[in-house]
Amino acid sequence: MAGRISQDTIERVRQTADIVSVINGYTNLTQRGAQYWGCCPFHNEKTPSFTVDPIKKFYHCFGCGVGGDVIKFTMEMEKLSYPDAIHDLAKKYNIEVTYEGGAFVPQKKDEDLDQIREVYDRIASTFHYFLLQTDSGKSALEYIKGRGLTDETLAKFKLGYAPADRYWLKKFLNGKNYSDAFLEKTGLFSKKYPDLCLFSGRLIFPIFDRKGQAVAFGGRILGDGEPKYLNSPELPHYHKRETLYAFNFAKNSIHQKKAAILCEGYMDVIAYHQCGIDIAVAPLGTSLTEQQLKILQGFCDIILLSFDSDGAGQNATKRAILMCRQFNLTTKIIRLEGGKDPAEIMIKFGAETLTKQVQNAILDVDYLLSKIKAQYPSESPEDKTKAALAFFPYVDSLQSDIQKESSLDQLAGAFNLSPEAVRRDFNNRSQARSRLDLRSKQSDGDKAQPIKLNAELRAVLAVLSNPDEYQKMRLELSSDDFEDPLAKELFIKLEERYKQGNFSYMSVLELCDVNVQQMVTAVTASGEFSKKEDQSEAEFKEMLNRIVLDSIKLIKRNALERQRKKLNERLRDFTPTTPDDEIYLKTLVSEISQLDKQIQMQKK
């Protein structure tokens, strides 16, 4: 049975912890006489009504009425339990925690874990030095400054550069007396080749825990090569599903503004922060998770989604909407216009434009109805039924009857339907879907419509049915090369299982929703990518190899052509006004020329 923390420890924490210093980390305090004043970190205000008394060691807000000691403040701001808040402060102020009756024996301190954290913090500083101060980091520095980042932003996010020599880091750390046995535990080196660093020749994005300590890395390749982004593996002190990029920078503002922006990647988050929109965070190499939403739920009431406008981004947006609503979080969608991502909008139009787009975010219900109307534009009863069925999962995710009622009324208004009919179909969805399926079968002559296999889906389904072929695909393609949203989704799940070392047909399907599972198993069962009775093993492998290689070639060419089209559009709309603009213009022309050459090579 765990004992209680002793009253002596609690009092020592209260008396030793500098309440002014602790609170000053969340809001700027100014001394007025014996007390300190600032804007309350618990609610929005422009005129300071929050006071801290360093003698009596308490805080109070005359605006919202909150108050307490340093332990309560830490609990509220960090969303910690009472014992955890005491432990957190005790560690910070080097206070030994004792327990009543001696019933509780703390676990032995994991010295390796603390040392691993220390190594990541140390290497983050080293990589930052390489980016800013060495010749080897110049190309990375030019690239990131070309994306519009300032020196202040580079310092804030501690961006860095990992040297191209993959042996360098091991030698460096051995020279600092870190043993090979210890370094194997850090996740910094290849498991197969323990002398080789995972990160080399890459722009480095340190990933911080909520207290601001570097605990992992993300690395972006400079130039061609795969994978485009490489992330630290799961570690004892770092779990991707429970971590949000830049949460350490954003948490105070998220707490004050009761809102957070969820982005797709590092650069999106950094661009928002540089523009003064300091509530942006991002998942880390995985889809949004319940654990990440639980973190945000403790700090805010509103989530703004800022995902890409392509098929995969829209699918991610729809999934995130349902998850956020299940956590009773009001959800809005930021519609980025004039650029493919926040960084491009920042460069082309500045912080004011990006800020306006955030302020003009629309409610998720309006976003979903507009997308569904575009998908089912017909006035036919079938399309209206399909539209309603597509919208009903959103209604299910809402946590109050009033919200459900209101959203069903909006659906009825959007499609000129009777509210009563909409409610009946919502309450009897299985019957409505059955009637729709029956009408579809009748109109198709009682034949189920097969899925249309484009080149991207053929390639992904071929390697899914025969995992040995996946190695060829992952060496040639990344998820960014796919245009078909389903093909991209399956490729991402293939890569996730491959990296986990749990790569099989069923393990990949476990990550998919029921509809995708049914589609994939139907295609697999058709024998499209299975060995025929009259085929030899060699003939079957040759056929698979041809399907995969031909599809890879076509996908790469299509991806290059899409990229060329975007650059040409950017070139058409770009008017240089400064010397830097002229350099950017030449870079664009050069990139388009290189793409032309690559496309011609793919056609051979």
Side-chain angles (χ1 to χ4, degrees), residues 380-431:
S380 70
E382 286 78 10
D383 263 16
K384 288 187 176 184
T385 303
K386 289 176 182 176
L389 290 170
F391 186 71
F392 288 161
Y394 170 75
V395 183
D396 283 326
S397 72
L398 299 173
Q399 299 301 297
S400 82
D401 289 340
I402 292 174
Q403 288 178 325
K404 292 177 188 288
E405 190 84 7
S406 176
S407 63
L408 288 172
D409 285 342
Q410 286 180 265
L411 172 66
F415 287 89
N416 195 25
L417 300 168
S418 159
E420 292 76 18
V422 168
R423 287 182 180 82
R424 281 197 303 271
D425 269 8
F426 176 70
N427 292 326
N428 300 281
R429 273 158 286 174
S430 59
Q431 294 179 23

Short mmCIF file of all heavy atoms in Angstrom, two decimals, residues 380-431:
data_model
loop_
_atom_site.label_atom_id
_atom_site.label_comp_id
_atom_site.label_asym_id
_atom_site.label_seq_id
_atom_site.Cartn_x
_atom_site.Cartn_y
_atom_site.Cartn_z
N SER A 380 -31.09 13.46 -56.71
CA SER A 380 -31.77 12.17 -56.70
C SER A 380 -31.92 11.65 -55.27
O SER A 380 -31.11 11.97 -54.39
CB SER A 380 -30.97 11.15 -57.50
OG SER A 380 -29.76 10.82 -56.83
N PRO A 381 -32.97 10.86 -55.01
CA PRO A 381 -33.16 10.28 -53.67
C PRO A 381 -31.95 9.46 -53.21
O PRO A 381 -31.60 9.46 -52.03
CB PRO A 381 -34.40 9.41 -53.83
CG PRO A 381 -35.13 9.98 -54.99
CD PRO A 381 -34.09 10.50 -55.92
N GLU A 382 -31.31 8.76 -54.17
CA GLU A 382 -30.15 7.94 -53.81
C GLU A 382 -29.00 8.80 -53.28
O GLU A 382 -28.39 8.49 -52.25
CB GLU A 382 -29.67 7.12 -55.02
CG GLU A 382 -30.55 5.95 -55.37
CD GLU A 382 -31.80 6.38 -56.12
OE1 GLU A 382 -31.88 7.56 -56.53
OE2 GLU A 382 -32.71 5.54 -56.29
N ASP A 383 -28.69 9.89 -54.00
CA ASP A 383 -27.60 10.75 -53.56
C ASP A 383 -27.92 11.43 -52.22
O ASP A 383 -27.04 11.61 -51.38
CB ASP A 383 -27.28 11.80 -54.62
CG ASP A 383 -26.11 11.38 -55.50
OD1 ASP A 383 -25.76 10.18 -55.46
OD2 ASP A 383 -25.53 12.23 -56.20
N LYS A 384 -29.17 11.82 -52.04
CA LYS A 384 -29.55 12.45 -50.78
C LYS A 384 -29.42 11.46 -49.62
O LYS A 384 -28.99 11.81 -48.52
CB LYS A 384 -30.98 12.99 -50.86
CG LYS A 384 -31.09 14.24 -51.75
CD LYS A 384 -32.48 14.85 -51.68
CE LYS A 384 -32.56 16.14 -52.48
NZ LYS A 384 -33.87 16.80 -52.36
N THR A 385 -29.77 10.20 -49.88
CA THR A 385 -29.62 9.17 -48.84
C THR A 385 -28.16 8.92 -48.53
O THR A 385 -27.75 8.81 -47.37
CB THR A 385 -30.29 7.86 -49.28
OG1 THR A 385 -31.66 8.11 -49.59
CG2 THR A 385 -30.22 6.81 -48.18
N LYS A 386 -27.35 8.84 -49.59
CA LYS A 386 -25.90 8.65 -49.39
C LYS A 386 -25.31 9.81 -48.60
O LYS A 386 -24.46 9.62 -47.72
CB LYS A 386 -25.20 8.52 -50.74
CG LYS A 386 -25.47 7.22 -51.47
CD LYS A 386 -24.80 7.24 -52.83
CE LYS A 386 -25.10 5.96 -53.62
NZ LYS A 386 -24.52 6.00 -54.99
N ALA A 387 -25.74 11.03 -48.93
CA ALA A 387 -25.24 12.20 -48.22
C ALA A 387 -25.59 12.13 -46.74
O ALA A 387 -24.74 12.40 -45.87
CB ALA A 387 -25.82 13.47 -48.84
N ALA A 388 -26.83 11.76 -46.44
CA ALA A 388 -27.24 11.66 -45.04
C ALA A 388 -26.44 10.60 -44.30
O ALA A 388 -25.97 10.81 -43.17
CB ALA A 388 -28.74 11.34 -44.97
N LEU A 389 -26.27 9.44 -44.94
CA LEU A 389 -25.51 8.36 -44.30
C LEU A 389 -24.06 8.74 -44.08
O LEU A 389 -23.43 8.33 -43.10
CB LEU A 389 -25.61 7.08 -45.14
CG LEU A 389 -27.00 6.41 -45.17
CD1 LEU A 389 -27.03 5.31 -46.22
CD2 LEU A 389 -27.35 5.86 -43.80
N ALA A 390 -23.50 9.55 -44.99
CA ALA A 390 -22.12 10.01 -44.83
C ALA A 390 -21.99 10.99 -43.67
O ALA A 390 -20.93 11.10 -43.05
CB ALA A 390 -21.63 10.67 -46.13
N PHE A 391 -23.07 11.70 -43.38
CA PHE A 391 -23.05 12.72 -42.32
C PHE A 391 -23.35 12.14 -40.94
O PHE A 391 -22.92 12.69 -39.91
CB PHE A 391 -24.08 13.81 -42.66
CG PHE A 391 -24.07 14.98 -41.73
CD1 PHE A 391 -23.03 15.90 -41.75
CD2 PHE A 391 -25.11 15.19 -40.84
CE1 PHE A 391 -23.02 17.00 -40.89
CE2 PHE A 391 -25.12 16.28 -39.98
CZ PHE A 391 -24.07 17.19 -40.01
N PHE A 392 -24.06 11.03 -40.89
CA PHE A 392 -24.51 10.48 -39.61
C PHE A 392 -23.38 10.13 -38.64
O PHE A 392 -23.55 10.30 -37.42
CB PHE A 392 -25.41 9.26 -39.84
CG PHE A 392 -26.78 9.59 -40.37
CD1 PHE A 392 -27.56 8.63 -40.99
CD2 PHE A 392 -27.29 10.89 -40.26
CE1 PHE A 392 -28.81 8.94 -41.49
CE2 PHE A 392 -28.54 11.21 -40.76
CZ PHE A 392 -29.31 10.23 -41.37
N PRO A 393 -22.20 9.64 -39.09
CA PRO A 393 -21.12 9.39 -38.12
C PRO A 393 -20.71 10.63 -37.34
O PRO A 393 -20.33 10.54 -36.17
CB PRO A 393 -19.97 8.87 -39.00
CG PRO A 393 -20.66 8.26 -40.19
CD PRO A 393 -21.85 9.13 -40.44
N TYR A 394 -20.80 11.79 -38.01
CA TYR A 394 -20.50 13.05 -37.30
C TYR A 394 -21.52 13.28 -36.19
O TYR A 394 -21.17 13.64 -35.06
CB TYR A 394 -20.50 14.22 -38.28
CG TYR A 394 -20.43 15.57 -37.59
CD1 TYR A 394 -19.24 16.02 -37.03
CD2 TYR A 394 -21.56 16.38 -37.50
CE1 TYR A 394 -19.18 17.26 -36.39
CE2 TYR A 394 -21.51 17.61 -36.86
CZ TYR A 394 -20.32 18.04 -36.31
OH TYR A 394 -20.26 19.26 -35.66
N VAL A 395 -22.79 13.06 -36.50
CA VAL A 395 -23.85 13.24 -35.50
C VAL A 395 -23.60 12.29 -34.32
O VAL A 395 -23.76 12.67 -33.16
CB VAL A 395 -25.24 13.01 -36.12
CG1 VAL A 395 -26.33 13.27 -35.09
CG2 VAL A 395 -25.44 13.89 -37.35
N ASP A 396 -23.22 11.06 -34.63
CA ASP A 396 -22.94 10.09 -33.56
C ASP A 396 -21.82 10.56 -32.64
O ASP A 396 -21.81 10.23 -31.45
CB ASP A 396 -22.54 8.74 -34.17
CG ASP A 396 -23.74 7.98 -34.71
OD1 ASP A 396 -24.82 8.09 -34.11
OD2 ASP A 396 -23.59 7.28 -35.72
N SER A 397 -20.85 11.28 -33.19
CA SER A 397 -19.70 11.71 -32.39
C SER A 397 -20.03 12.84 -31.42
O SER A 397 -19.28 13.09 -30.48
CB SER A 397 -18.55 12.16 -33.32
OG SER A 397 -18.85 13.40 -33.94
N LEU A 398 -21.12 13.55 -31.67
CA LEU A 398 -21.50 14.67 -30.80
C LEU A 398 -21.95 14.16 -29.44
O LEU A 398 -22.57 13.11 -29.33
CB LEU A 398 -22.60 15.49 -31.46
CG LEU A 398 -22.22 16.11 -32.82
CD1 LEU A 398 -23.43 16.76 -33.48
CD2 LEU A 398 -21.09 17.13 -32.67
N GLN A 399 -21.66 14.96 -28.41
CA GLN A 399 -21.84 14.47 -27.04
C GLN A 399 -23.10 14.99 -26.35
O GLN A 399 -23.34 14.68 -25.19
CB GLN A 399 -20.61 14.84 -26.20
CG GLN A 399 -19.32 14.23 -26.72
CD GLN A 399 -19.37 12.71 -26.77
OE1 GLN A 399 -19.51 12.07 -25.73
NE2 GLN A 399 -19.28 12.14 -27.95
N SER A 400 -23.91 15.79 -27.04
CA SER A 400 -25.15 16.26 -26.42
C SER A 400 -26.30 16.10 -27.40
O SER A 400 -26.12 16.21 -28.62
CB SER A 400 -25.03 17.73 -25.99
OG SER A 400 -25.26 18.60 -27.07
N ASP A 401 -27.49 15.88 -26.87
CA ASP A 401 -28.68 15.72 -27.70
C ASP A 401 -29.00 17.00 -28.45
O ASP A 401 -29.50 16.97 -29.58
CB ASP A 401 -29.88 15.30 -26.84
CG ASP A 401 -29.75 13.87 -26.33
OD1 ASP A 401 -28.96 13.10 -26.93
OD2 ASP A 401 -30.40 13.52 -25.34
N ILE A 402 -28.73 18.14 -27.83
CA ILE A 402 -29.01 19.42 -28.49
C ILE A 402 -28.12 19.57 -29.73
O ILE A 402 -28.57 20.00 -30.80
CB ILE A 402 -28.78 20.59 -27.51
CG1 ILE A 402 -29.84 20.56 -26.40
CG2 ILE A 402 -28.82 21.93 -28.25
CD1 ILE A 402 -29.63 21.58 -25.31
N GLN A 403 -26.83 19.21 -29.58
CA GLN A 403 -25.92 19.26 -30.74
C GLN A 403 -26.39 18.33 -31.85
O GLN A 403 -26.37 18.69 -33.03
CB GLN A 403 -24.50 18.88 -30.30
CG GLN A 403 -23.80 19.93 -29.46
CD GLN A 403 -22.43 19.46 -29.01
OE1 GLN A 403 -22.22 18.27 -28.74
NE2 GLN A 403 -21.48 20.37 -28.93
N LYS A 404 -26.80 17.13 -31.47
CA LYS A 404 -27.27 16.16 -32.47
C LYS A 404 -28.49 16.71 -33.21
O LYS A 404 -28.58 16.65 -34.43
CB LYS A 404 -27.61 14.82 -31.79
CG LYS A 404 -26.42 14.06 -31.23
CD LYS A 404 -26.88 12.79 -30.53
CE LYS A 404 -25.75 12.09 -29.79
NZ LYS A 404 -24.79 11.44 -30.68
N GLU A 405 -29.45 17.24 -32.43
CA GLU A 405 -30.69 17.77 -33.01
C GLU A 405 -30.37 18.91 -33.98
O GLU A 405 -30.91 18.98 -35.09
CB GLU A 405 -31.60 18.27 -31.88
CG GLU A 405 -33.01 18.63 -32.30
CD GLU A 405 -33.92 17.42 -32.35
OE1 GLU A 405 -33.50 16.33 -31.93
OE2 GLU A 405 -35.05 17.58 -32.83
N SER A 406 -29.50 19.81 -33.55
CA SER A 406 -29.16 20.97 -34.38
C SER A 406 -28.46 20.55 -35.68
O SER A 406 -28.75 21.07 -36.76
CB SER A 406 -28.26 21.92 -33.59
OG SER A 406 -27.84 22.99 -34.39
N SER A 407 -27.53 19.58 -35.59
CA SER A 407 -26.80 19.16 -36.78
C SER A 407 -27.70 18.44 -37.78
O SER A 407 -27.54 18.57 -38.99
CB SER A 407 -25.61 18.28 -36.40
OG SER A 407 -26.04 17.10 -35.77
N LEU A 408 -28.68 17.68 -37.27
CA LEU A 408 -29.63 17.01 -38.17
C LEU A 408 -30.50 18.05 -38.88
O LEU A 408 -30.83 17.89 -40.07
CB LEU A 408 -30.50 16.03 -37.39
CG LEU A 408 -29.80 14.75 -36.91
CD1 LEU A 408 -30.71 13.95 -35.99
CD2 LEU A 408 -29.34 13.89 -38.08
N ASP A 409 -30.85 19.13 -38.18
CA ASP A 409 -31.60 20.21 -38.83
C ASP A 409 -30.77 20.86 -39.93
O ASP A 409 -31.30 21.22 -40.99
CB ASP A 409 -32.01 21.26 -37.79
CG ASP A 409 -33.16 20.78 -36.91
OD1 ASP A 409 -33.85 19.82 -37.30
OD2 ASP A 409 -33.34 21.36 -35.82
N GLN A 410 -29.46 21.04 -39.67
CA GLN A 410 -28.59 21.63 -40.70
C GLN A 410 -28.49 20.72 -41.93
O GLN A 410 -28.46 21.19 -43.06
CB GLN A 410 -27.20 21.89 -40.11
CG GLN A 410 -27.16 23.08 -39.17
CD GLN A 410 -25.77 23.33 -38.61
OE1 GLN A 410 -25.43 22.86 -37.53
NE2 GLN A 410 -24.95 24.06 -39.35
N LEU A 411 -28.41 19.42 -41.69
CA LEU A 411 -28.38 18.46 -42.80
C LEU A 411 -29.67 18.58 -43.63
O LEU A 411 -29.62 18.62 -44.87
CB LEU A 411 -28.23 17.04 -42.26
CG LEU A 411 -28.38 15.90 -43.27
CD1 LEU A 411 -27.25 15.94 -44.30
CD2 LEU A 411 -28.39 14.55 -42.56
N ALA A 412 -30.80 18.65 -42.95
CA ALA A 412 -32.08 18.76 -43.65
C ALA A 412 -32.13 20.03 -44.48
O ALA A 412 -32.56 20.01 -45.65
CB ALA A 412 -33.22 18.74 -42.64
N GLY A 413 -31.65 21.14 -43.92
CA GLY A 413 -31.65 22.40 -44.65
C GLY A 413 -30.71 22.39 -45.84
O GLY A 413 -31.03 22.91 -46.91
N ALA A 414 -29.54 21.77 -45.68
CA ALA A 414 -28.55 21.76 -46.75
C ALA A 414 -29.02 20.97 -47.97
O ALA A 414 -28.67 21.31 -49.11
CB ALA A 414 -27.23 21.19 -46.22
N PHE A 415 -29.80 19.92 -47.74
CA PHE A 415 -30.22 19.06 -48.85
C PHE A 415 -31.73 19.13 -49.13
O PHE A 415 -32.27 18.29 -49.84
CB PHE A 415 -29.81 17.61 -48.57
CG PHE A 415 -28.32 17.39 -48.70
CD1 PHE A 415 -27.48 17.57 -47.61
CD2 PHE A 415 -27.76 17.04 -49.92
CE1 PHE A 415 -26.11 17.38 -47.73
CE2 PHE A 415 -26.40 16.86 -50.05
CZ PHE A 415 -25.57 17.03 -48.95
N ASN A 416 -32.38 20.17 -48.54
CA ASN A 416 -33.81 20.38 -48.77
C ASN A 416 -34.61 19.12 -48.43
O ASN A 416 -35.42 18.63 -49.23
CB ASN A 416 -34.05 20.80 -50.23
CG ASN A 416 -35.45 21.37 -50.43
OD1 ASN A 416 -36.07 21.88 -49.50
ND2 ASN A 416 -35.96 21.26 -51.65
N LEU A 417 -34.38 18.62 -47.23
CA LEU A 417 -35.05 17.40 -46.77
C LEU A 417 -35.99 17.72 -45.62
O LEU A 417 -35.82 18.73 -44.92
CB LEU A 417 -34.01 16.37 -46.30
CG LEU A 417 -32.99 15.89 -47.34
CD1 LEU A 417 -31.88 15.12 -46.65
CD2 LEU A 417 -33.66 15.02 -48.39
N SER A 418 -36.91 16.86 -45.39
CA SER A 418 -37.80 16.99 -44.24
C SER A 418 -37.03 16.64 -42.97
O SER A 418 -36.45 15.55 -42.89
CB SER A 418 -39.00 16.06 -44.40
OG SER A 418 -39.60 15.80 -43.15
N PRO A 419 -37.04 17.52 -41.98
CA PRO A 419 -36.34 17.20 -40.72
C PRO A 419 -36.83 15.90 -40.10
O PRO A 419 -36.04 15.14 -39.53
CB PRO A 419 -36.65 18.40 -39.82
CG PRO A 419 -36.92 19.52 -40.77
CD PRO A 419 -37.60 18.90 -41.95
N GLU A 420 -38.13 15.64 -40.22
CA GLU A 420 -38.69 14.41 -39.66
C GLU A 420 -38.12 13.18 -40.37
O GLU A 420 -37.78 12.17 -39.73
CB GLU A 420 -40.22 14.41 -39.76
CG GLU A 420 -40.91 15.44 -38.88
CD GLU A 420 -40.80 16.85 -39.43
OE1 GLU A 420 -40.50 17.00 -40.65
OE2 GLU A 420 -40.98 17.82 -38.66
N ALA A 421 -38.02 13.25 -41.71
CA ALA A 421 -37.47 12.13 -42.47
C ALA A 421 -36.01 11.89 -42.12
O ALA A 421 -35.55 10.75 -42.00
CB ALA A 421 -37.62 12.39 -43.97
N VAL A 422 -35.26 12.99 -41.94
CA VAL A 422 -33.85 12.88 -41.57
C VAL A 422 -33.71 12.19 -40.22
O VAL A 422 -32.87 11.29 -40.04
CB VAL A 422 -33.19 14.28 -41.54
CG1 VAL A 422 -31.81 14.19 -40.87
CG2 VAL A 422 -33.05 14.85 -42.93
N ARG A 423 -34.53 12.55 -39.26
CA ARG A 423 -34.45 11.94 -37.93
C ARG A 423 -34.83 10.46 -37.98
O ARG A 423 -34.23 9.64 -37.29
CB ARG A 423 -35.35 12.69 -36.96
CG ARG A 423 -34.79 14.06 -36.57
CD ARG A 423 -35.69 14.76 -35.55
NE ARG A 423 -35.15 16.06 -35.21
CZ ARG A 423 -35.30 17.17 -35.95
NH1 ARG A 423 -36.01 17.11 -37.06
NH2 ARG A 423 -34.75 18.31 -35.56
N ARG A 424 -35.85 10.16 -38.80
CA ARG A 424 -36.25 8.74 -38.90
C ARG A 424 -35.10 7.91 -39.47
O ARG A 424 -34.80 6.82 -38.96
CB ARG A 424 -37.50 8.61 -39.80
CG ARG A 424 -38.80 8.96 -39.10
CD ARG A 424 -40.01 8.43 -39.88
NE ARG A 424 -40.05 8.93 -41.24
CZ ARG A 424 -40.67 10.07 -41.59
NH1 ARG A 424 -41.27 10.81 -40.67
NH2 ARG A 424 -40.68 10.45 -42.85
N ASP A 425 -34.46 8.42 -40.52
CA ASP A 425 -33.35 7.66 -41.11
C ASP A 425 -32.15 7.59 -40.17
O ASP A 425 -31.43 6.59 -40.14
CB ASP A 425 -32.94 8.28 -42.45
CG ASP A 425 -33.69 7.67 -43.63
OD1 ASP A 425 -34.62 6.90 -43.37
OD2 ASP A 425 -33.34 7.96 -44.78
N PHE A 426 -31.95 8.66 -39.40
CA PHE A 426 -30.84 8.64 -38.43
C PHE A 426 -31.09 7.57 -37.36
O PHE A 426 -30.18 6.84 -36.97
CB PHE A 426 -30.69 10.01 -37.77
CG PHE A 426 -29.63 10.03 -36.70
CD1 PHE A 426 -28.28 9.92 -37.02
CD2 PHE A 426 -29.98 10.13 -35.36
CE1 PHE A 426 -27.30 9.93 -36.03
CE2 PHE A 426 -29.02 10.13 -34.36
CZ PHE A 426 -27.67 10.04 -34.71
N ASN A 427 -32.31 7.49 -36.91
CA ASN A 427 -32.66 6.51 -35.87
C ASN A 427 -32.76 5.09 -36.42
O ASN A 427 -32.76 4.12 -35.65
CB ASN A 427 -33.98 6.90 -35.21
CG ASN A 427 -33.86 8.17 -34.39
OD1 ASN A 427 -32.81 8.43 -33.79
ND2 ASN A 427 -34.90 8.99 -34.40
N ASN A 428 -32.86 4.97 -37.74
CA ASN A 428 -32.97 3.63 -38.36
C ASN A 428 -31.94 3.52 -39.49
O ASN A 428 -32.27 3.20 -40.63
CB ASN A 428 -34.38 3.41 -38.91
CG ASN A 428 -35.43 3.48 -37.83
OD1 ASN A 428 -35.64 2.55 -37.08
ND2 ASN A 428 -36.11 4.63 -37.76
N ARG A 429 -30.70 3.81 -39.15
CA ARG A 429 -29.65 3.88 -40.18
C ARG A 429 -29.45 2.56 -40.92
O ARG A 429 -29.24 2.53 -42.12
CB ARG A 429 -28.32 4.30 -39.56
CG ARG A 429 -28.16 5.78 -39.48
CD ARG A 429 -27.16 6.17 -38.43
NE ARG A 429 -27.73 6.00 -37.10
CZ ARG A 429 -27.05 6.15 -35.97
NH1 ARG A 429 -25.78 6.47 -36.03
NH2 ARG A 429 -27.63 6.00 -34.81
N SER A 430 -29.50 1.47 -40.19
CA SER A 430 -29.26 0.18 -40.84
C SER A 430 -30.33 -0.09 -41.90
O SER A 430 -30.03 -0.61 -42.98
CB SER A 430 -29.26 -0.94 -39.80
OG SER A 430 -30.50 -0.99 -39.11
N GLN A 431 -31.59 0.29 -41.60
CA GLN A 431 -32.65 0.09 -42.59
C GLN A 431 -32.45 1.01 -43.79
O GLN A 431 -32.64 0.61 -44.93
CB GLN A 431 -34.01 0.35 -41.94
CG GLN A 431 -34.38 -0.66 -40.87
CD GLN A 431 -35.72 -0.34 -40.24
OE1 GLN A 431 -36.55 0.33 -40.84
NE2 GLN A 431 -35.94 -0.85 -39.01
#
